[in-house]
Amino acid sequence: MPSSSPSTTAPTTPLAAAGRAPGSAATSPHAYDAGLLLLRLALGLTMAAHGSQKLFGWFGGGGIDGTAKFFEMKGYPAAKAMAVVAGLTETGGGLALAVGLLAPLAAAAILGTMLNALAVTWSGSFFAMNGGSEYELLLIAAAAALALTGPGRYAVDRYLPVVRSHRLSYGAAALVLGLITAGVVLLVRD
């Protein structure tokens, strides 16, 4: 016998959680999801291009050998292997984030990689023109935000049973994984 009680399903967007009717004149869940898509594409494709510099030497990058020399100079052991790992993480994580595939993990991969970049380039200054790290900090913040909010409805995750409905706990767990992984990699540096 069907129940006549109101539905107890959780709201699917922050707009619904705030008590605003989806599609109302004041707000639109599609605007929220379009914003997340734009952020995912910008961050994901930027990181994929950055990773392809390391892997293939595209866009003026050093390729594996040039990246390995940089990593060796910065004290990473097995510099060539680390260059491959960094390139694959940036390229794979970036592309996965752009399409919204396992978005919390993709964002955590970017966060971990960029924390390492921040640690080895930190000069104590914020602005890039003074050797600062504003770029790395912005990428870290964007990755963390996407891990916590989820990819939105315009994402491959929407079609995967386990991650179809994003949970804050998924994003938080992914961020913890990214932080731990970044910490371990930094600990092996000389």
Side-chain angles (χ1 to χ4, degrees):
M1 177 169 167
S3 171
S4 61
S5 65
S7 172
T8 58
T9 59
T12 57
T13 68
L15 300 173
R20 298 180 184 146
S24 69
T27 59
S28 167
H30 295 289
Y32 170 83
D33 293 316
L36 289 174
L37 173 64
L38 178 61
L39 182 57
R40 280 195 352 259
L41 287 171
L43 178 59
L45 294 177
T46 297
M47 289 307 300
H50 196 76
S52 69
Q53 289 180 307
K54 289 176 175 65
L55 289 176
F56 311 116
W58 295 351
F59 310 113
I64 296 294
D65 291 333
T67 303
K69 286 178 187 172
F70 173 78
F71 278 24
E72 187 173 28
M73 183 178 71
K74 293 297 183 178
Y76 285 94
K80 197 164 195 169
M82 288 296 220
V84 170
V85 168
L88 288 173
T89 302
E90 290 176 2
T91 304
L95 291 174
L97 189 62
V99 299
L101 175 64
L102 301 174
L105 290 175
I110 291 169
L111 176 122
T113 302
M114 294 315 300
L115 282 172
N116 267 268
L118 180 65
V120 300
T121 62
W122 181 255
S123 68
S125 177
F126 177 74
F127 294 106
M129 64 188 219
N130 297 327
S133 301
E134 62 185 302
Y135 176 70
E136 291 87 353
L137 289 168
L138 182 61
L139 296 177
I140 289 167
L146 284 169
L148 294 173
T149 61
R153 71 176 77 193
Y154 307 130
V156 173
D157 281 359
R158 180 98 166 154
Y159 302 99
L160 300 176
V162 174
V163 291
R164 181 176 296 140
S165 86
H166 181 77
R167 305 265 192 280
L168 178 61
S169 60
Y170 296 166
L175 290 179
V176 168
L177 179 63
L179 290 169
I180 290 170
T181 304
V184 168
V185 172
L186 287 170
L187 285 174
V188 301
R189 280 181 56 218
D190 291 336

